[in-house]
Amino acid sequence: MPTIKECEGKAMEEKEYLDRLLAGEAVEAGSEMHCMMHNMSQKAIRICADINTGYHDPDELKTLMEKLTGRPVPEGFGLFPPFNSDCGRNIFLGEHVFINSGCKFQDQGGIFIGDRCLIGHNVVIATLNHFMNPAHRGGMTPKPVRLGDDVWVGSGAILLPGTTIGDGAVVAAGAVVTKDVAPYTIVGGNPARSIKQVERS
């Protein structure tokens, strides 16, 4: 994390920062973008602390999620806390999305969730990779994770940066998704591999 001294005099507009992340721009350690990442993560942590403290009815949780994402939450949203995000502003939700308890969204690179998706307990969605070069390991590269419509992600699954889950696909519990999943395909394992096709009526 950058220090307060490193971030002195480094200011950036939120929209510019988010746009640059969604464009895939690398975040150099100690840079203006890195300082903005730190500032935004602190805001997200505070909002998630509100989400995770005490009981909130569904309408209150929807309002808190709108505060976290900075945009209206579509119809039919459901969330069972606890929930954690370290940015929030690059989460994009479709209609009738349900997120079960214990999920962790690292959304700087963009998390796009289609309509009617079901996200199981303790799912991790990651959108950042650190640089491989040890001398620059603090730097990060953002890549989005995209879920099509009607996707079911099972408990404890991990979706890694740059992966796309096609419409109607199922990610089995505990799977680690390292590459794209075709529509209407069930994947499982580590790394996740195709198991069979989803039966459709």
Side-chain angles (χ1 to χ4, degrees):
M1 281 296 200
T3 65
I4 293 173
K5 185 176 179 67
E6 287 174 326
C7 288
E8 285 179 357
K10 296 179 180 177
M12 177 182 286
E13 292 294 325
E14 180 179 299
K15 184 180 185 306
E16 179 190 354
Y17 167 73
L18 295 173
D19 287 346
R20 288 168 70 175
L21 285 174
L22 290 177
E25 184 174 331
V27 180
E28 300 283 346
S31 67
E32 184 180 48
M33 283 186 71
H34 198 196
C35 291
M36 187 66 179
M37 177 179 286
H38 175 70
N39 291 339
M40 292 201 65
S41 71
Q42 297 308 301
K43 293 177 184 177
I45 289 167
R46 283 195 293 271
I47 297 168
C48 288
D50 288 340
I51 290 172
N52 299 331
T53 304
Y55 172 76
H56 301 285
D57 67 32
D59 287 338
E60 291 170 332
L61 287 172
K62 184 171 185 271
T63 298
L64 285 166
M65 185 59 77
E66 288 176 343
K67 185 177 178 183
L68 179 67
T69 63
R71 65 183 63 85
V73 169
E75 189 69 28
F77 174 76
L79 171 67
F80 284 180
F83 173 80
N84 287 286
S85 164
D86 53 8
C87 179
R89 289 299 201 266
N90 274 345
I91 298 172
F92 301 88
L93 300 167
E95 294 184 354
H96 300 282
V97 168
F98 175 67
I99 301 171
N100 219 322
S101 61
C103 290
K104 298 174 177 65
F105 286 11
Q106 181 200 56
D107 62 288
Q108 284 92 342
I111 295 175
F112 299 84
I113 300 177
D115 296 341
R116 300 173 301 279
C117 286
L118 304 175
I119 314 297
H121 296 84
N122 299 313
V123 167
V124 174
I125 303 180
T127 66
L128 291 174
N129 276 318
H130 282 280
F131 293 173
M132 287 295 105
N133 185 337
H136 302 281
R137 187 63 53 79
M140 290 157 279
T141 303
K143 290 185 179 179
V145 172
R146 302 178 186 274
L147 280 64
D149 295 337
D150 303 298
V151 169
W152 174 20
V153 182
S155 298
I158 301 173
L159 311 184
L160 294 182
T163 53
T164 294
I165 315 299
D167 292 347
V170 177
V171 177
V176 179
V177 178
T178 61
K179 60 183 180 180
D180 292 353
V181 175
Y184 303 102
T185 301
I186 301 172
V187 299
N190 179 9
R193 64 191 185 285
S194 177
I195 296 172
K196 61 180 180 178
Q197 294 299 110
V198 173
E199 293 183 10
R200 289 184 277 170
S201 56

